[in-house]
């Protein structure tokens, strides 16, 4: 550890405040302003990191409370500021951060997607570890589960819950409003009949018997809220930039979590619209790549400083007709 010269961090704004021992409470209350957004450089030992006596810690800059250094790093790695076409960058997680490059002019926003897309706040939800269902297929031949570690299923991780909703839409067990169909509308010999059940007055869909893995109406609502948040941010940024969906040339899916979300689920439940299906590119953990680049180059750090100041942040709540945009974005796509 004595040989460590420097450490670079590309974290979100709240985590960076906490790392540096700076009070982050202003981020969580109106007007939701961080104490700082600029890059910070301190001695690692001053904040309790055990490294060399003179090891420096460098934190990359932020744009706002909810567009942090992780997104600045990702935008730099994807060269959004130099693009000649129209590119949308999406980092999907508990917060969905979106950056739109209109021929190099950058607009950005953040939407509170909630933890459902990562398997949390879901009845049978779990982290993406051994035993987690990551994909599913439902047909007249039964339910086929793809499980991490190829073992006994224990619950649904983020990609699993999206796959379930995708399949329930496809087999028309849930409507575009997110509501389960009534069991008494199905014939007893319908392949869907035995899986749809009542728990008191609430409908559920059983995916696996032992252990029981199921999805509830509330689970669908959690996914629906996340989908509405991300898609409405997408639509609002396009509106701000004066672009249509058809004018987008590429959509970049960033982040470690996003890398595990297949296009058929993202499009199938309408997190992203059908029009971009053939324009998706997965860029992986771009924030970590950006941190590597900043560690190795001072010119990269200067460029990221400039980039962060050129990213125009848009507050979704202040967007004209945002409530209507959000409500429309909550609807699932109709499956033929």
């Amino acid at each position: 550890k004595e040989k460590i010269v420097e450490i670079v961090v590309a974290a979100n704004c709240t985590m960076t405040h906490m790392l540096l021992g700076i009070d982050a409470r202003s981020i969580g209350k109106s007007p939701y302003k961080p104490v700082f957004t600029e890059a910070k450089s301190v001695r690692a030992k001053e904040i309790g990191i055990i490294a060399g006596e003179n090891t420096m810690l460098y934190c990359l800059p932020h744009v706002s409370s909810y567009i942090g250094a992780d997104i600045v790093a990702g935008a730099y790695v994807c060269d959004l500021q130099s693009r000649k076409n129209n590119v949308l960058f999406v980092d999907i997680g508990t917060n969905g951060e979106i950056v739109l490059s209109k021929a190099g002019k950058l607009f950005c926003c953040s939407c509170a997607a909630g933890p459902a897309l990562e398997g949390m706040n879901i009845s049978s939800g779990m982290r993406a570890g051994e035993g987690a269902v990551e994909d599913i297929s439902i047909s007249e031949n039964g339910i086929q589960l793809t499980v991490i570690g190829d073992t006994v299923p224990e619950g649904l991780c983020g990609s699993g819950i999206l796959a379930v909703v995708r399949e329930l839409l496809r087999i028309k067990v849930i409507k575009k409003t997110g509501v389960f169909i009534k069991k008494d509308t199905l014939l007893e010999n319908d392949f869907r009949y035995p899986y749809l059940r009542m728990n008191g007055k609430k409908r559920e869909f059983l995916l696996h018997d032992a252990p029981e893995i199921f999805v509830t109406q509330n689970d669908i609502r959690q996914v629906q809220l996340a989908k509405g948040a991300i898609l409405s941010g997408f639509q609002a940024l396009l509106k701000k930039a004066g672009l249509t969906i058809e004018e987008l040339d590429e959509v970049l899916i960033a982040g470690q979590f996003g890398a595990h979300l297949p296009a058929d689920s993202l499009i199938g439940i309408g997190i992203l619209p059908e029009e971009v299906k053939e324009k998706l590119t997965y860029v992986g953990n771009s924030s970590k790549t950006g941190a590597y680049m900043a560690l190795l180059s001072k010119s990269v750090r200067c460029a990221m400083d400039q980039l962060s100041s050129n990213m125009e942040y848009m507050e979704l709540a202040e967007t004209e007709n945002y409530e209507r945009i959000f409500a429309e974005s909550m609807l699932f796509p109709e499956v033929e």
Side-chain angles (χ1 to χ4, degrees), residues 150-170:
D150 198 23
T151 183
V152 176
E154 297 176 20
L156 300 166
C157 65
S159 57
I161 187 63
L162 291 195
V164 171
V165 175
R166 178 197 72 212
E167 290 295 280
L168 294 184
L169 284 166
R170 188 182 59 77

Side-chain angles (χ1 to χ4, degrees), residues 196-247:
L196 192 59
R197 67 183 189 183
M198 298 298 294
N199 182 355
K201 293 184 178 180
K202 297 181 179 179
R203 296 167 208 158
E204 298 176 344
F205 194 88
L206 185 65
L207 300 165
H208 192 265
D209 271 321
E212 274 203 356
I213 300 173
F214 55 90
V215 288
T216 67
Q217 185 67 72
N218 184 61
D219 296 336
I220 303 299
R221 286 285 180 241
Q222 292 295 315
V223 173
Q224 204 169 5
L225 286 167
K227 166 235 186 319
I230 294 168
L231 183 59
S232 63
F234 178 111
Q235 301 281 12
L237 277 188
L238 286 175
K239 184 178 179 182
K240 171 83 171 175
L243 293 173
T244 64
I245 291 173
E246 289 75 18
E247 288 176 300

Side-chain angles (χ1 to χ4, degrees), residues 50 60 130 190 198:
I50 300 171
L60 296 175
E130 188 169 303
D190 190 302
M198 298 298 294

Side-chain angles (χ1 to χ4, degrees), residues 14-308:
T14 301
M15 293 299 106
T16 304
H17 277 60
M18 291 181 173
L19 175 66
L20 296 175
I22 297 172
D23 192 334
R25 284 177 291 185
S26 65
I27 294 173
K29 59 185 180 182
S30 183
Y32 310 105
K33 298 293 185 184
V35 176
F36 70 96
T37 57
E38 69 274 9
K40 291 279 188 182
S41 186
V42 299
R43 289 190 186 278
K45 69 176 185 179
E46 290 177 9
I47 59 169
I49 293 178
I50 300 171
E53 179 66 22
N54 296 309
T55 302
M56 297 300 293
L57 178 98
Y58 183 82
C59 296
L60 296 175
H62 311 283
V63 175
S64 67
S65 288
Y66 301 116
I67 297 289
D70 50 344
I71 305 306
V72 173
Y76 179 82
V77 167
C78 296
D79 200 27
L80 296 187
Q81 72 280 14
S82 301
R83 298 277 187 148
K84 302 302 181 190
N85 53 2
N86 301 318
V87 181
L88 194 83
F89 171 100
V90 188
D91 191 311
I92 300 173
T94 302
N95 278 333
E97 292 98 353
I98 310 172
V99 183
L100 174 62
S101 175
K102 180 183 181 182
K105 182 172 173 55
L106 303 182
F107 305 89
C108 58
C109 70
S110 176
C111 43
L117 300 185
E118 296 178 294
M120 300 297 104
N121 283 6
I122 299 296
S123 302
S124 297
M126 66 178 287
R127 68 178 184 83
E130 188 169 303
V133 175
E134 61 178 345
D135 202 359
I136 186 168
S137 173
I138 305 174
S139 70
E140 293 183 5
N141 298 321
I143 297 177
Q144 303 296 321
L145 304 178
T146 302
V147 184
I148 296 174
D150 198 23
T151 183
V152 176
E154 297 176 20
L156 300 166
C157 65
S159 57
I161 187 63
L162 291 195
V164 171
V165 175
R166 178 197 72 212
E167 290 295 280
L168 294 184
L169 284 166
R170 188 182 59 77
I171 65 172
K172 301 190 185 307
V173 167
I174 53 177
K175 304 174 184 178
K176 73 173 185 175
T177 56
V179 176
F180 275 109
I181 61 172
K182 294 180 179 179
K183 183 160 183 165
D184 60 17
T185 64
L186 300 176
L187 298 174
E188 289 189 19
N189 63 354
D190 190 302
F191 78 93
R192 299 169 292 179
Y193 188 87
Y195 304 116
L196 192 59
R197 67 183 189 183
M198 298 298 294
N199 182 355
K201 293 184 178 180
K202 297 181 179 179
R203 296 167 208 158
E204 298 176 344
F205 194 88
L206 185 65
L207 300 165
H208 192 265
D209 271 321
E212 274 203 356
I213 300 173
F214 55 90
V215 288
T216 67
Q217 185 67 72
N218 184 61
D219 296 336
I220 303 299
R221 286 285 180 241
Q222 292 295 315
V223 173
Q224 204 169 5
L225 286 167
K227 166 235 186 319
I230 294 168
L231 183 59
S232 63
F234 178 111
Q235 301 281 12
L237 277 188
L238 286 175
K239 184 178 179 182
K240 171 83 171 175
L243 293 173
T244 64
I245 291 173
E246 289 75 18
E247 288 176 300
L248 272 180
D249 298 294
E250 190 174 15
V251 175
L252 308 177
I253 308 297
Q256 197 63 41
F257 174 63
H260 295 280
L261 300 180
D264 60 347
S265 289
L266 290 171
I267 305 297
I269 76 165
I271 288 179
L272 297 176
E274 177 73 29
E275 290 89 340
V276 304
K277 188 172 184 178
E278 303 304 322
K279 300 176 181 179
L280 298 185
T281 301
Y282 290 82
V283 297
N285 195 339
S286 55
S287 63
K288 184 168 72 171
T289 302
Y292 285 149
M293 294 173 73
L295 181 64
L296 298 171
S297 170
K298 284 193 168 54
S299 66
V300 167
R301 296 182 194 184
C302 292
M304 287 187 183
D305 283 340
Q306 185 63 47
L307 175 62
S308 66

